[in-house]
Amino acid sequence: MSGQQWILAQRPQGRLRPDIFRLQPQPADEASLAPGEVDVALRLFLCAPTMRNWMDPPGNHLYPSVPIDEAMLSPAGGRITASADPDRPVGADVTCFGRWQSHIRAAGCDTALVPPTRSLVDAMGRFGINPLTAWFGIKRIGQLQAGETLLVSGAAGSVGSIAVQLGRLAGARVVGIAGGPDKCRWLTEVIGTDAAIDYRSENLPAAIAIACPNGVDVFFDNVGGNALDAAVDAMNRLGRIALCGQISGYDGADMRGPANMMRLIYGGITMRGFLVGDFASEWDAARADLKAGYDSGAIVYRDDLREGFEQLPQHFCDLFEGRNNGTLLVMSDRQAREPAR
Amino acid sequence: MSGQQWILAQRPQGRLRPDIFRLQPQPADEASLAPGEVDVALRLFLCAPTMRNWMDPPGNHLYPSVPIDEAMLSPAGGRITASADPDRPVGADVTCFGRWQSHIRAAGCDTALVPPTRSLVDAMGRFGINPLTAWFGIKRIGQLQAGETLLVSGAAGSVGSIAVQLGRLAGARVVGIAGGPDKCRWLTEVIGTDAAIDYRSENLPAAIAIACPNGVDVFFDNVGGNALDAAVDAMNRLGRIALCGQISGYDGADMRGPANMMRLIYGGITMRGFLVGDFASEWDAARADLKAGYDSGAIVYRDDLREGFEQLPQHFCDLFEGRNNGTLLVMSDRQAREPAR
């Protein structure tokens, strides 16, 4: 099987640019499959902000580092084309921690089987890691209660928009921070936040004080930096901060923690980082809860589904300009929209 | 009743100096006691680093701010000299959130009765808020388990020295960070840490890597700043950071949070601030556990008991130079060492 791959040609400096990636032919896998292995024709790629971290040089951190001249790492999905894993037959769809390339050989046990009635787009979109991340951040890390106030940064994004809706359904007052009037209008008019704050035109501390008159009990943070500073200053005693991302710092800006550490101490405040993988045993239950919300219309979900393997780096860069509307998925094959059968 | 008081004459700038306080006569309470009130002749004052925060100007923080020209706030204890509270008779000892002054009038319910067989020095020392803070930080916030690695900053201090010993008793590997060879020798030779790091002469990240070959599971932080940065970089997945204090920043230095926020996220790490008051319902149980440790010799406890109300500001400033050896208590009356009966 031949194909193409996008390699990381150089490490990013400052603002992310698509030309640090290079398209090249993907070498074929010559060896025959070892027991338990599968070959997957990749046809769908999830673009998530945290992938920017994986482009950092190797170092003392807990995330992977893509070597220069190797294919970019990415959540991906595709159809099995050859299998030595009896649980994963040819023709089935799987998701995996993949790469920006046409096909991949993997241990079958490192892939997740997609139910045959579900499309890859649904498996990686509305039932994928972004909405699940929102679910665990609100339910397990934030432990949000009815009557509390939830503040969400990056609230119009793929994770944040689900977080705010789960907060509304939990009976909380919900305030979202987003960039620009269109996103803020969408937050209040479509997905039902009690208030929205435009960080590009408003003073964050003052706007939070107005929008959260009873303070903040749970802060779901996708952004870090100034948003985290302002939220900490507004936290109530025994508040919880769910650290989901730090997108404000991914392009090389300062990624320091909050300025007001004493408020964490005197407030008895918990700040906890998390990955959706920490809760794998609860994924099915969370997916069932999300499905009920989608089916009843109580939760609005948006895909930003795009085409073209050749445009992958450009699509990815759009994330950091706020030029996506919902979960950013790039398909190299339109069959990603169809269930395997 | 007449007396004296130390007022905050000006707000500190940079390094704390005793001359920002001024001694003056304390006005007498002219009114008669209201129902429930008590008069207390104060005779013992606890000097704790966090009191430096209370000298900040009023602002958006969760700790009190001493007004200029008012008496300094301080944990204090003394004997009841007049009482309109049937539960708190004249002659009983109480502790309270007091001030640097000779006597105080308070609602009886805002004072804590000292058992008549216990001295004020013991009530505010080995059974006081410093050892209790260590206990809750290790047991409730850190949830330290046998076989884990505990790192403690300010490890030779009043809180830290109890924290490291509770860690040793819990079956953890225990590493302490302290300033100077004498404190480090005391840590390893007297109270039994597995290793000690002298932050004044050693490179913290390198020394932590050597002393904690399996990484850090629980970090008990009294210091913040560089110590917090270095500890975060060494934390294991699902590690816990108990935020007890930020003494490195109290004198106006930068008190920002940790530099490596992404490690908190990818590590699933919990960072939680706490006050001992958050756990008041468990104080008696914690005191019983501490008493068993003191009685058996398993926990070494040190008071740095000093005399002289007139020297209170000077004694307090010693805290920030590391010139105390154990819990810093200043008595204005030697009867503080004797139980009420």
Side-chain angles (χ1 to χ4, degrees):
Chain A
M1 192 153 48
S2 65
Q4 290 180 299
Q5 63 184 181
W6 279 106
I7 62 160
L8 182 65
Q10 62 188 84
R11 302 218 173 271
Q13 303 285 336
R15 185 185 222 180
L16 200 64
R17 299 189 330 263
D19 62 3
I20 62 171
F21 300 99
R22 192 172 65 232
L23 190 63
Q24 67 176 28
Q26 180 186 358
D29 290 307
E30 303 286 353
S32 53
L33 286 173
E37 284 187 333
V38 293
D39 278 333
V40 183
L42 297 176
R43 49 177 55 157
L44 189 66
F45 303 87
L46 172 67
C47 292
T50 199
M51 294 162 61
R52 170 64 186 81
N53 295 298
W54 308 343
M55 299 162 68
D56 287 345
N60 176 33
H61 38 61
L62 296 169
Y63 46 81
S65 169
V66 180
I68 293 292
D69 289 337
E70 289 198 10
M72 179 65 192
L73 291 166
S74 171
R79 191 153 293 174
I80 295 180
T81 56
S83 175
D85 177 349
D87 292 335
R88 288 168 181 78
V90 170
D93 282 342
V94 293
T95 59
C96 61
F97 189 52
R99 293 180 179 273
W100 282 359
Q101 56 194 30
S102 301
H103 49 90
I104 198 164
R105 177 167 291 183
C109 60
D110 289 340
T111 69
L113 209 49
V114 175
T117 55
R118 184 171 290 165
S119 71
L120 270 175
V121 165
D122 277 354
M124 295 180 64
R126 60 197 200 119
F127 297 110
I129 56 178
N130 287 13
L132 287 172
T133 296
W135 199 94
F136 290 103
I138 294 294
K139 304 282 187 182
R140 294 289 175 267
I141 308 294
Q143 298 182 28
L144 182 69
Q145 306 296 315
E148 292 190 322
T149 295
L150 167 69
L151 179 68
V152 179
S153 63
S158 173
V159 174
S161 63
I162 303 297
V164 297
Q165 294 178 88
L166 291 171
R168 191 197 61 209
L169 290 172
R173 176 175 178 81
V174 180
V175 175
I177 303 172
D182 291 343
K183 287 183 176 177
C184 286
R185 198 173 310 118
W186 183 75
L187 284 175
T188 52
E189 294 182 3
V190 178
I191 68 171
T193 61
D194 294 284
I197 297 169
D198 181 356
Y199 72 84
R200 291 182 182 161
S201 65
E202 297 183 68
N203 174 278
L204 270 182
I208 291 172
I210 292 168
C212 306
N214 298 319
V216 175
D217 299 294
V218 174
F219 177 47
F220 190 112
D221 188 22
N222 296 298
V223 171
N226 294 339
L228 180 56
D229 277 351
V232 165
D233 282 342
M235 293 300 291
N236 288 330
R237 267 192 58 76
L238 304 181
R240 289 84 67 198
I241 300 174
L243 292 176
C244 179
Q246 295 271 305
I247 193 170
S248 71
Y250 292 166
D251 266 1
D254 192 16
M255 221 189 298
R256 61 170 174 65
N260 191 350
M261 293 295 288
M262 286 313 297
R263 196 177 186 96
L264 299 187
I265 294 176
Y266 275 83
I269 291 165
T270 302
M271 190 159 91
R272 185 171 162 199
F274 71 107
L275 296 178
V276 69
D278 299 343
F279 299 95
S281 65
E282 292 189 78
W283 283 15
D284 285 344
R287 284 195 183 106
D289 191 57
L290 288 166
K291 183 174 191 305
Y294 298 146
D295 288 351
S296 71
I299 304 180
V300 174
Y301 167 80
R302 291 191 302 182
D303 273 336
D304 189 338
L305 181 59
R306 304 182 180 190
E307 291 189 56
F309 185 82
E310 287 74 12
Q311 285 75 44
L312 250 176
Q314 181 59 60
H315 294 317
F316 180 62
C317 289
D318 280 359
L319 277 180
F320 299 90
E321 313 286 337
R323 285 202 300 254
N324 60 307
N325 286 298
T327 307
L328 184 50
L329 294 165
V330 179
M331 56 183 172
S332 56
D333 181 333
R334 292 190 180 187
Q335 287 192 42
R337 296 179 300 191
E338 311 296 334
R341 67 166 177 268
Chain B
M1 190 153 48
S2 65
Q4 291 180 301
Q5 63 183 180
W6 279 106
I7 61 160
L8 182 65
Q10 61 186 86
R11 302 216 173 273
Q13 302 286 335
R15 185 184 222 182
L16 201 64
R17 300 190 329 265
D19 62 3
I20 62 171
F21 299 99
R22 191 171 66 232
L23 191 63
Q24 67 175 28
Q26 180 184 358
D29 290 308
E30 303 286 353
S32 54
L33 285 173
E37 285 188 335
V38 294
D39 278 334
V40 182
L42 297 176
R43 49 177 55 157
L44 189 66
F45 303 87
L46 172 67
C47 292
T50 199
M51 294 162 61
R52 170 63 185 80
N53 294 299
W54 308 343
M55 300 162 68
D56 287 344
N60 175 33
H61 38 60
L62 296 169
Y63 46 81
S65 169
V66 180
I68 294 293
D69 289 336
E70 290 198 9
M72 179 66 192
L73 292 167
S74 170
R79 192 152 293 176
I80 294 180
T81 56
S83 176
D85 176 348
D87 293 333
R88 289 169 180 79
V90 170
D93 282 343
V94 292
T95 59
C96 60
F97 189 53
R99 293 179 180 274
W100 282 358
Q101 56 193 29
S102 302
H103 49 90
I104 198 164
R105 177 166 291 182
C109 61
D110 288 341
T111 69
L113 209 49
V114 175
T117 55
R118 183 171 291 167
S119 71
L120 269 175
V121 166
D122 277 353
M124 294 181 63
R126 59 197 201 117
F127 298 111
I129 56 177
N130 288 12
L132 287 173
T133 297
W135 199 94
F136 290 103
I138 293 294
K139 305 281 187 183
R140 294 289 175 268
I141 307 293
Q143 299 182 30
L144 183 68
Q145 306 297 315
E148 291 190 322
T149 295
L150 168 69
L151 179 68
V152 179
S153 63
S158 174
V159 174
S161 63
I162 303 297
V164 297
Q165 294 178 88
L166 291 171
R168 192 198 60 209
L169 290 172
R173 176 175 179 81
V174 180
V175 176
I177 304 172
D182 291 345
K183 288 184 177 178
C184 286
R185 198 174 309 114
W186 183 76
L187 284 175
T188 53
E189 295 181 3
V190 178
I191 68 171
T193 61
D194 294 282
I197 297 170
D198 181 355
Y199 72 83
R200 290 181 182 161
S201 66
E202 297 183 69
N203 174 279
L204 271 183
I208 291 172
I210 292 169
C212 306
N214 298 318
V216 175
D217 299 295
V218 174
F219 178 48
F220 190 112
D221 189 22
N222 296 298
V223 171
N226 294 341
L228 180 56
D229 277 349
V232 165
D233 281 343
M235 293 300 291
N236 288 328
R237 267 192 57 77
L238 304 180
R240 289 83 68 197
I241 300 174
L243 291 176
C244 179
Q246 295 270 305
I247 192 170
S248 71
Y250 292 167
D251 266 2
D254 191 15
M255 221 190 298
R256 61 170 173 66
N260 192 351
M261 293 294 288
M262 286 312 299
R263 196 177 185 96
L264 299 187
I265 295 177
Y266 274 83
I269 292 165
T270 302
M271 189 158 94
R272 185 172 162 197
F274 72 107
L275 295 177
V276 69
D278 299 342
F279 299 95
S281 66
E282 292 189 78
W283 283 15
D284 285 344
R287 283 194 184 104
D289 190 57
L290 288 166
K291 183 174 191 305
Y294 299 146
D295 289 351
S296 71
I299 303 179
V300 175
Y301 167 80
R302 293 192 302 183
D303 271 337
D304 189 339
L305 182 61
R306 305 181 180 191
E307 291 189 56
F309 185 82
E310 287 74 11
Q311 286 74 46
L312 249 176
Q314 181 59 60
H315 294 316
F316 179 62
C317 289
D318 280 359
L319 278 180
F320 299 90
E321 312 287 338
R323 285 202 299 255
N324 61 305
N325 286 299
T327 307
L328 184 50
L329 294 165
V330 179
M331 57 183 173
S332 56
D333 181 332
R334 292 189 180 189
Q335 287 192 43
R337 295 180 301 192
E338 312 297 332
R341 66 165 177 271

